[in-house]
Amino acid sequence: MSLMNEETRRKLRELNLSEMIEAIDQQAHDIGYSSIAFEDRMKLAIDFVYQKKYNSKVERLINSAKFRIANASFSDIHYIDRGLEKEKLLNLSTVQFIDMNSNIIFHGFTGSGKSYLACALGKQACMQGIKTRYIRIPDLLMLRDEATLAPQGISKLLKKFASYTILILDEWLLDDLSEEEQYFLFELIERRHDTSSTIYCTQFMKEDWHARLGGGVHADAMMDRIVHNASWMFTGHLNMREFQAKKRKQF
C-alpha cells in the first residue's frame, strides 16, 4: 500500500486528525493489511482514531480534575473487614446519579478512605467523559480570598466551580466558617442545585452539619439543598492509612 502524499497529511492535521495519519501509516507498513478489503481497513483506522481520541480526552479530564489521589481506582478498593456497602458503591460507580443531579456524601473518621473513594468515583466519571473537579475546602476558600482582590473575582470563581458536572468537596466542615465563607459556599451550592452533582467528604454526621454551617438561615438553605437529594456512604470501620502502612511493611 502506498503512503499518503504531504497535501493529504496537511489536510488531516488541519482537521485535527493526526491519529488517522498514524493509522494509515501503520497499515501501509504492515504487509498483513494488503489482503484486507478497503472498507475493513477503513473501519480499523476509524476504530484506532476513536480509541486514541477517547484516551486523550479521558487523560485531559483526569488531569484537569486535579485529584488528590491520582491512582485511586475502583478496582483497587479494599472491602474485607471494612464494613463498606459494596453493592451500593458499585452502583455509584456507574455514575448514573448525575442523571438526577444527586449528591454523594462520604462520611467517616480520619483515615477511613473518604478521599480515595471520592477520587475513584471521580475518575469513573472522567472515563465516561464527564467534566469533574476535586478540591479541598481550605483550598477553595483560599481561592475565594484571592478572588476578592480582583474585579468580579468572586463571581468568576463561582461560575467556574458551578460549571463542573461533578464537583468533589473534600474536608467538608472540617474548620469553622466565617459569615463570608458561609455565604460563598451557599452561593456555590445554590448555583449547583438541581443542575449538577456534588460529592462531599466529611467526618461529621448529618445531625452535626447545621451547627458546623453556622446554625443560621444559610445553614438551613444549604442543608435543604444538599441532604434531601443525597446518597450517604459510610466509609467503614477500618483505618485505611494504618492498613496500607502495614501492608507496605510486609513487602
Side-chain angles (χ1 to χ4, degrees), residues 108-114 174 202-203 235 238-242:
F109 60 87
T110 300
S112 61
K114 300 182 294 294
L174 183 63
T202 183
Q203 298 179 32
T235 50
L238 194 63
N239 189 313
M240 291 306 297
R241 289 201 186 101
E242 291 181 2

Side-chain angles (χ1 to χ4, degrees), residues 192-243:
R192 295 184 57 78
H193 180 57
D194 278 344
T195 62
S196 50
S197 295
T198 306
I199 300 174
Y200 299 85
C201 301
T202 183
Q203 298 179 32
F204 297 94
M205 300 294 288
K206 181 163 57 176
E207 54 266 28
D208 301 318
W209 280 36
H210 193 267
R212 300 292 301 174
L213 287 167
V217 292
H218 285 136
D220 293 337
M222 282 189 271
M223 290 286 290
D224 182 64
R225 287 159 176 75
I226 296 172
V227 303
H228 297 310
N229 189 29
S231 177
W232 292 74
M233 186 81 202
F234 177 55
T235 50
H237 307 285
L238 194 63
N239 189 313
M240 291 306 297
R241 289 201 186 101
E242 291 181 2
F243 176 81

Side-chain angles (χ1 to χ4, degrees), residues 64-95:
S64 63
K66 302 183 184 298
F67 293 119
R68 181 177 187 174
I69 305 172
N71 63 348
S73 171
F74 261 78
S75 61
D76 292 332
I77 292 174
H78 179 83
Y79 292 99
I80 300 172
D81 298 327
R82 187 173 177 182
L84 278 179
E85 297 180 70
K86 184 175 181 178
E87 185 176 343
K88 183 177 180 179
L89 194 55
L90 292 176
N91 185 55
L92 290 179
S93 73
T94 65
V95 202

